[in-house]
Amino acid sequence: MKIDERMDLQELATQMGSEDTAEAARLRDLLLGTGRERTEDFSGEEWAELLIRAGEQNK
């Protein structure tokens, strides 16, 4: 999935294994800060770290 400001948050939430679009919005913000172009550019470990960070911002 292409990383940009117009990402479909529902699709991103699904890719995260969630239905929480607010958490997907937080992940989108983190992704935008990485400088990478696609979500597929992340290793499994990197993706997991981003998911954890997005979830922690909710607390």
Side-chain angles (χ1 to χ4, degrees), residues 25-43:
R26 290 188 296 276
L27 178 61
R28 177 193 57 201
D29 292 341
L30 291 171
L31 290 169
L32 288 169
T34 66
R36 299 198 191 169
E37 294 185 19
R38 302 193 60 78
T39 57
E40 296 87 356
D41 294 341
F42 294 88
S43 70

Side-chain angles (χ1 to χ4, degrees), residues 6-20:
R6 298 178 308 269
M7 294 176 82
D8 180 331
L9 295 179
Q10 188 61 52
E11 184 179 347
L12 183 57
T14 300
Q15 192 172 6
M16 295 168 61
S18 172
E19 294 183 9
D20 186 349

